Amino acid sequence: MTPPWRETGDGVSVTVRVTPRAHQDKIEGVRRLSNGQAILAVRVRALPQDGAANDAVVRILAKACGIPASAAWVEAGAGARVKTILLRGDSVSLLAAMAALPEG
């Protein structure tokens, strides 16, 4: 399966599917959508209002990769469940952190 992340010029871009209003914040692992697209499934307790769920996803991914939350942001899909998160930093370290995430 092709992973849902790819190296960019200044870090790593990750395609995630966010489930808001979950019981806990959690990275569930790599999944495949019905169209075949690979995504990283993430659940957050935050509501999808005023960017709260987006902020929660950014914090969770940044923490999992060992980077500050200020080095991560929603690049595309801010109002959608499937979005692209850009993680800025050393791509080798970020790719290793992504590979260490749960398989799902």
Side-chain angles (χ1 to χ4, degrees):
M1 175 188 313
T2 304
W5 49 80
R6 64 178 174 80
E7 187 175 358
T8 64
D10 55 354
V12 173
S13 178
V14 186
T15 303
V16 299
R17 182 179 189 281
V18 180
T19 303
R21 299 185 193 128
H23 291 127
Q24 64 180 344
D25 293 340
K26 180 179 180 181
I27 297 174
E28 292 192 312
V30 177
R31 301 279 199 291
R32 190 168 296 282
L33 297 176
S34 60
N35 66 2
Q37 179 184 11
I39 52 95
L40 183 64
V42 179
R43 292 184 177 270
V44 295
R45 292 178 293 197
L47 299 175
Q49 292 178 322
D50 301 323
N54 289 339
D55 292 343
V57 170
V58 165
R59 283 192 313 273
I60 290 167
L61 287 177
K63 183 178 179 181
C65 292
I67 61 172
S70 61
W73 60 88
V74 177
E75 185 175 44
R81 283 187 185 249
V82 176
K83 49 190 90 239
T84 303
I85 308 292
L86 182 62
L87 306 170
R88 177 176 270 169
D90 176 52
S91 59
V92 173
S93 299
L94 292 170
L95 290 171
M98 289 283 110
L101 293 174
E103 284 292 320

